[in-house]
Amino acid sequence: MWSRCFAIHWHTPQMNYRTAYKLRKFQALTQDPLLVALWGLILAKCCFLEHFVRQHAVPINTGIYVWLLSLFMAGLATVVLSGIVEPKVQHPDEKPDGPWLWPLTVSLMLVLLLLAFALGGNRLLAVLPLLCLPPGGAFALRCGVRFHPAVALQAVGWLVSAGILFMLSPPARILPVSCILILLVAVPGIFRFVQYRREIRQAMQALQK
């Protein structure tokens, strides 16, 4: 009896610590600028190829030769990077909205994608406008907590993109999604990565003086 209580007493905090560490690492991955830019470029490339194949009736299976291979390599790179990226203690511009804003946003988008795949048919094209709403809402929330012009611009960009996609017919949404991914995911991720590298280099130079 005492041994069971002792095991529960020590086992539960350890499990809570491990779970919190994994969640923190997921949070760090969703905020890593290089990883975000990588996924943006890969998804934009897949959407562009999907549009090209549909437009010119190229007889290939895009599900295997475009999406599956690309997502497998991107997933493998994410798994490798997950062993390198360490969880952050606190993000400076995430206070009342908490550190789980982006993990929850990404999870909601994944749920929408899985639901569209499960329903089959053209459901994936129908759900594309809805995929722009979670990041638009997340950027709007961050902007409401702490205003920043770049954050406000991204919030407006995602919400306007959702409206534009809603107005287009489902087959015509693929190419605009490719442009949206480049402009709102890949380019900002590359800019943030360059900015972080510059800040690290300046900090190293300041330490050497």
Side-chain angles (χ1 to χ4, degrees), residues 25 29 77-86:
K25 177 160 284 195
L29 287 173
T78 303
V79 171
V80 173
L81 189 61
S82 67
I84 302 174
V85 173
E86 288 298 322

Side-chain angles (χ1 to χ4, degrees), residues 8-50:
I8 295 175
H9 176 74
W10 286 102
H11 181 67
T12 303
Q14 184 180 14
M15 290 299 295
N16 291 337
Y17 172 78
R18 289 179 179 177
T19 303
Y21 182 82
K22 291 178 181 179
L23 291 174
R24 281 286 183 179
K25 177 160 284 195
F26 181 44
Q27 174 211 358
L29 287 173
T30 57
Q31 294 179 355
D32 185 83
L34 186 60
L35 184 63
V36 170
L38 171 68
W39 273 97
L41 289 174
I42 289 175
L43 293 175
K45 183 264 297 183
C46 292
C47 290
F48 177 78
L49 291 177
E50 181 72 28

Side-chain angles (χ1 to χ4, degrees), residues 33 88 91-92 148 191-207:
K88 299 178 182 178
H91 202 273
H148 193 279
F191 277 145
R192 286 199 302 271
F193 176 72
V194 173
Q195 181 182 2
Y196 290 166
R197 294 285 295 179
R198 186 185 300 115
E199 291 175 355
I200 292 174
R201 185 164 56 250
Q202 291 174 353
M204 294 298 293
Q205 292 175 354
L207 289 174

Side-chain angles (χ1 to χ4, degrees), residues 9-193:
H9 176 74
W10 286 102
H11 181 67
T12 303
Q14 184 180 14
M15 290 299 295
N16 291 337
Y17 172 78
R18 289 179 179 177
T19 303
Y21 182 82
K22 291 178 181 179
L23 291 174
R24 281 286 183 179
K25 177 160 284 195
F26 181 44
Q27 174 211 358
L29 287 173
T30 57
Q31 294 179 355
D32 185 83
L34 186 60
L35 184 63
V36 170
L38 171 68
W39 273 97
L41 289 174
I42 289 175
L43 293 175
K45 183 264 297 183
C46 292
C47 290
F48 177 78
L49 291 177
E50 181 72 28
H51 171 78
F52 178 82
V53 169
R54 288 171 178 254
Q55 186 76 16
H56 299 278
V58 180
I60 65 170
N61 188 342
T62 57
I64 296 177
Y65 296 104
V66 175
W67 291 96
L68 184 59
L69 292 177
S70 299
L71 295 180
F72 173 76
M73 295 304 298
L76 185 61
T78 303
V79 171
V80 173
L81 189 61
S82 67
I84 302 174
V85 173
E86 288 298 322
K88 299 178 182 178
V89 176
Q90 184 179 6
H91 202 273
D93 55 356
E94 289 187 342
K95 296 193 177 175
D97 52 336
W100 311 118
L101 177 62
W102 295 115
L104 288 175
T105 302
V106 173
S107 300
L108 179 57
M109 296 174 71
L110 289 176
V111 168
L112 290 173
L113 282 174
L114 291 175
L115 183 61
F117 276 117
L119 294 176
N122 288 327
R123 300 292 184 180
L124 183 58
L125 297 178
V127 83
L128 287 179
L130 298 178
L131 293 176
C132 296
L133 295 179
F139 278 113
L141 180 60
R142 284 185 58 188
C143 191
V145 172
R146 183 178 180 180
F147 180 79
H148 193 279
V151 177
L153 186 61
Q154 285 194 299
V156 172
W158 281 107
L159 296 177
V160 170
S161 299
I164 293 174
L165 292 177
F166 269 119
M167 291 187 295
L168 296 174
S169 62
R173 293 172 179 172
I174 302 176
L175 188 59
V177 167
S178 179
C179 300
I180 291 169
L181 289 170
I182 292 175
L183 293 176
L184 297 180
V185 179
V187 172
I190 292 172
F191 277 145
R192 286 199 302 271
F193 176 72

